Amino acid sequence: MHSIAILGAGMMGNVHARAYRAMNQTSTLWIVDPVASRARVLAESYGAVVASFDEVLENDGIDILDICTPTFTHRELAIRALEFGKHVFCEKPIALKLEDARAMEEAAEESGKKFMVGHVVRFFPQYVRVGELVATGEVGDIVMVRLYRGGSFPSHGIDNWFADKGKSGGVFVDLSIHDFDFLRKLLGPVKTVEARSAALSSERKKDSFDHGMAILRFESGALAHIEGSWAEPPGMPVNFGTFYEFVGTKGMITNSYERETTLRLQTSIDGKPKYSQENPIYFDPYIEELKSFIRSIEGDSEVPVSGHEATESLKVALAANLSAELHRPVELSEVM
Ligand SMILES: NC(=O)c1ccc[n+]([C@@H]2O[C@H](COP(=O)([O-])OP(=O)(O)OC[C@H]3O[C@@H](n4cnc5c(N)ncnc54)[C@H](O)[C@@H]3O)[C@@H](O)[C@H]2O)c1
């Protein structure tokens, strides 16, 4: 049994509280949020206890801190929690700057505690499945990939923090990082990034953008086109969607949110065409993700997404920001 404190009672705090309760693995759940009414409402919904950050740090009975706060607060909260000997789960993106992310990695190493970052796309059923198909060579070597992830502007964020690039990192760092991370895991290191961005919705702050495209060239030679958007019109019946297409030397795999989880596999091997469709069995990716973290604590094994992995994915997102700013391709080695 673990005693878990969730920092941040916003959208992700709610998602994580629901997941922990569904797993039934917590004796007591604690909620920390400087906005007392938010902490109280979330605590009441899940039979949790409201506490301050200092109280959960000082409480030796609490072994896990789960950070679901705005990204610009991650570094400070994670490092303090690790210094107090807590295992730390931190929502993605790990941080806004490489310097912050590396300080978090170091703190985790020094503490000897587990530190995992919430790159949850690795746990979504249709992404798990395409990962398996690619890894087993079902469509040969991957040559080109197209990914889309987008919806309307995340106006739920407290004080509209997503709108401020200095607080959220913008659409590449906050949203497309899911796809950058997934592709890095599947295809290996990225060499160069060429990106462009557009400022479309009225909710973003003046210096921010909310729609972007990035072309990633991997060291393997594969190319990926990644599009991320916070600029879809609000108030639509479906307000968020994803798409992928993996093209290999022997065929292709596609999946679109519009076709729910249906994954389409088309290959031509030795002149024999094959077509199949499948619906990967649905499971809650947030539960799977948090379960995997708890398993790594209990088994003293590597976490599935380490601080270092998350830092490398942040590097790709920062390269996209830089490329969009400079209007030229950026080598990953340029991003410090
Ligand atoms: N994995 C995913 O699918 C996913 C989806 C959305 C957001 N996120 C990430 O999750 C994080 C939180 O996003 P959100 O949408 O829940 O934001 P949000 O604005 O809905 O909620 C953030 C909450 O944190 C609280 N908070 C601020 N500072 C705090 C502090 N020092 N201690 C405790 N609480 C504090 C705020 O009062 C607010 O209630 C961000 O890093 C975001 O990028 C991940």
Side-chain angles (χ1 to χ4, degrees), residues 6-16 31-36 38-39 53 67-74 76-77 89-94 118-121 124 149 154 156-162 167-168 173-175 177-178 230 286 289:
I6 296 178
L7 309 184
M11 191 178 97
M12 292 316 291
N14 272 269
V15 170
H16 286 210
I31 308 292
V32 177
D33 197 301
V35 184
R38 288 190 159 219
F53 187 40
I67 301 175
C68 294
T69 58
T71 306
F72 64 95
T73 67
H74 288 181
E76 191 192 333
L77 296 175
F89 184 94
C90 180
E91 260 304 338
K92 54 47 67 181
I94 179 171
H119 280 292
V120 71
V121 168
F124 268 74
R149 178 171 306 275
H156 71 270
I158 191 157
D159 301 330
N160 203 15
W161 69 272
F162 285 99
K167 291 183 171 173
S168 69
V173 169
D174 190 81
L175 184 69
I177 197 164
H178 281 297
W230 279 339
Y286 295 96
E289 173 187 61

Side-chain angles (χ1 to χ4, degrees), residues 41-321:
V41 169
L42 182 58
E44 278 169 7
S45 307
Y46 292 99
V49 179
V50 174
S52 71
F53 187 40
D54 285 337
E55 281 165 349
V56 302
L57 289 176
E58 300 287 352
N59 185 336
D60 292 337
I62 298 174
D63 60 336
I64 297 176
L65 256 66
D66 181 337
I67 301 175
C68 294
T69 58
T71 306
F72 64 95
T73 67
H74 288 181
R75 173 187 174 152
E76 191 192 333
L77 296 175
I79 292 179
R80 277 200 79 200
L82 289 160
E83 283 170 354
F84 272 77
K86 312 292 185 188
H87 299 293
V88 172
F89 184 94
C90 180
E91 260 304 338
K92 54 47 67 181
I94 179 171
L96 296 174
K97 294 181 191 150
L98 290 183
E99 177 195 325
D100 293 342
R102 287 180 184 136
M104 292 159 82
E105 278 183 58
E106 270 169 34
E109 210 163 295
E110 276 168 25
S111 73
K113 296 292 164 181
K114 300 295 175 197
F115 176 54
M116 174 164 165
V117 180
H119 280 292
V120 71
V121 168
R122 297 185 184 206
F123 298 87
F124 268 74
Q126 66 272 42
Y127 288 82
V128 170
R129 185 65 184 133
V130 74
E132 288 166 359
L133 291 167
V134 168
T136 53
E138 206 71 22
V139 289
D141 297 330
I142 296 300
V143 181
M144 288 192 195
V145 183
R146 283 194 302 139
L147 299 177
Y148 175 77
R149 178 171 306 275
S152 56
F153 197 86
S155 48
H156 71 270
I158 191 157
D159 301 330
N160 203 15
W161 69 272
F162 285 99
D164 186 339
K165 195 162 161 248
K167 291 183 171 173
S168 69
V171 78
F172 286 134
V173 169
D174 190 81
L175 184 69
S176 299
I177 197 164
H178 281 297
D179 295 314
F180 299 150
D181 178 74
F182 184 73
L183 286 183
R184 269 199 340 91
K185 176 172 178 267
L186 205 57
L187 304 179
V190 174
K191 201 169 177 308
T192 59
V193 179
E194 175 148 20
R196 294 294 182 273
S197 62
L200 300 170
S201 70
S202 56
E203 283 178 274
R204 70 189 161 76
K205 291 249 166 75
K206 279 204 177 68
D207 68 336
S208 210
F209 60 89
D210 52 16
H211 190 100
M213 292 190 305
I215 293 179
L216 272 48
R217 182 179 292 278
F218 289 80
E219 283 179 10
S220 69
L223 280 178
H225 176 283
I226 290 144
E227 189 176 5
S229 187
W230 279 339
E232 290 187 15
M236 297 292 129
V238 178
N239 66 3
F240 190 78
T242 62
F243 165 86
Y244 64 62
E245 178 181 82
F246 285 81
V247 180
T249 48
K250 294 178 186 167
M252 62 199 280
I253 310 165
T254 51
N255 169 260
S256 161
Y257 191 80
E258 281 147 25
R259 295 194 301 273
E260 295 177 329
T261 58
T262 306
L263 180 152
R264 198 169 62 188
L265 172 65
Q266 302 169 89
T267 56
S268 175
I269 299 169
D270 298 332
K272 289 193 194 100
K274 183 178 136 192
Y275 177 91
S276 64
Q277 272 191 197
E278 58 175 278
N279 287 301
I281 296 163
Y282 185 75
F283 47 79
D284 185 325
Y286 295 96
I287 295 179
E288 287 303 306
E289 173 187 61
L290 294 170
K291 266 188 184 166
S292 76
F293 178 55
I294 287 173
R295 271 198 305 271
S296 69
I297 294 170
E298 291 175 349
D300 194 18
S301 54
E302 291 292 312
V303 292
V305 190
S306 66
H308 184 66
E309 286 278 292
T311 304
E312 291 302 302
S313 298
L314 175 64
K315 205 179 205 183
V316 178
L318 293 174
N321 272 357

